[in-house]
Amino acid sequence: MIKDSRKAIVSWALYDWANSAFATTVMAAFFSIFFSSYWSLDQDSSVTTFWLGVANSVESLIVAILAPMLGAIADSGSYRKKFLVFFAFLGALLTGCLGMIHAGAWVAAMFVYIIANIGFAGANIFYDALLPTVASEKKVDFVSALGYSLGYIGGGLLFLVNVLMYLMPTVFGLPDDGGISAVKASFVMVAIWWIVFSLPIFLFVKDDKKDDGLTIGKAVRKGIDDVKTTLHNLRSLKMTALFLVAFWCYIDGVDTIIRMAVDYGASLGFPSESMIVALLITQFVAFPSALVYNIFGKKVGHKRAILIAIGAYGLISIIGCFMTNVWQFYILACMIGLFQGGIQALSRSYFTRFVPKGREAQFFGFYNMLGKFASIIGPFLVGAVTLVTGSHRVGILSLVLLFLVGGILLYKVDEEAGIRATQEFSLMEKNA
């Protein structure tokens, strides 16, 4: 496939538009609200926070274990797009199933949510791994940012419709039952949206073809061997390894804030309508910010721009600990929107500089694995600290440590040394 093709770039970026509906409507908003107010209505709020953290952590653990092996398998047999299709359909199908779970069935809701998250995260491994096939090094930063920006606006638009359904159900022909029917319908709409807008990447983005002729079975065995080899070779790719550990730490805090913000706002007594408005603010601020932050990254340097975003997230955690009013929650929503897309897009494109050619899916498997392992620690940490101390504020404040450690490690990454080591690694493999 020819790199920098407009059709391929737009088709690739539209997948972010497609799956971000899950991240906004389901993950960030309605699942948290519905879990505490419908599926586990009789539970104490601190217990609900704990189990929500457990659900996110279990999903993350499963994906973390599978991610590097799946990436290696995809690289071995050119199965990237096939795995993307499989996991996208899995996530969408289980998201639709959330709309069929009855009140009080919190165990079933957790199980279905975990599988839907596995589909969401698993598909992202192969979506990320296709980035170097559609964009050259010259355009990879822009294309990565374009994906995130389309994701924010796409996810935000459907979320806006879902919010209006929740606030004014009769206008949409739904019963006025406290938003229950609206939320269930929203889960089904997300599933349909996800599949429909995934069609362009399914149809117009081509995977790199390899002549190894590996069957799935042989690719599995070779994939496992490749994972072992990669773990060994990371010793010589020290800057790649250092960046991955830094990413592990700081993205932990980012993902935890995304997943737990609504639950935290509910614990402070903020009305659900205000929290939904805050999420909408985040989405629509993040849309232009993701692209603008890419320009900012080019001016000050990608590493420096990521470090600034990490510092901003640390400040957000501190402010969040002490906030008492809804208007402060709105200000934090604006701050998160300013930096969320930037830190995600720049981290993904910055990592491409440290990935050996031909090993994209495998290394992005590690990239997503560490991101998911981080997502195990963060939600569980917030949930456990909240349960032990009885204070949601102390729980959210614990995230500052993750941003601090991640920032220090990233500061030590030597980009030039990392690129040289990656090129030498690729040359060695080619000559082997």
Side-chain angles (χ1 to χ4, degrees), residues 31-32 35 45-61 106 110 113-114 117 255-256 259-260 263 372-387:
F31 183 82
S32 297
F35 189 75
S45 66
S46 62
V47 175
T48 300
T49 297
F50 174 75
W51 283 114
L52 183 62
V54 168
N56 284 311
S57 295
V58 169
E59 168 268 319
S60 298
L61 177 62
W106 66 271
M110 278 184 60
Y113 178 67
I114 287 169
N117 262 281
D255 287 345
T256 303
R259 290 168 182 257
M260 306 294 284
D263 181 79
K372 301 315 286 184
F373 267 126
S375 297
I376 298 167
I377 299 170
F380 185 79
L381 175 65
V382 172
V385 170
T386 300
L387 189 64

Side-chain angles (χ1 to χ4, degrees), residues 63 66-75 83 87 122 125-126 227 361-362:
V63 174
L66 292 177
M69 186 178 72
L70 290 174
I73 292 169
D75 275 338
F83 275 94
F87 280 105
I125 294 171
F126 303 102
V227 169
Q362 185 179 337

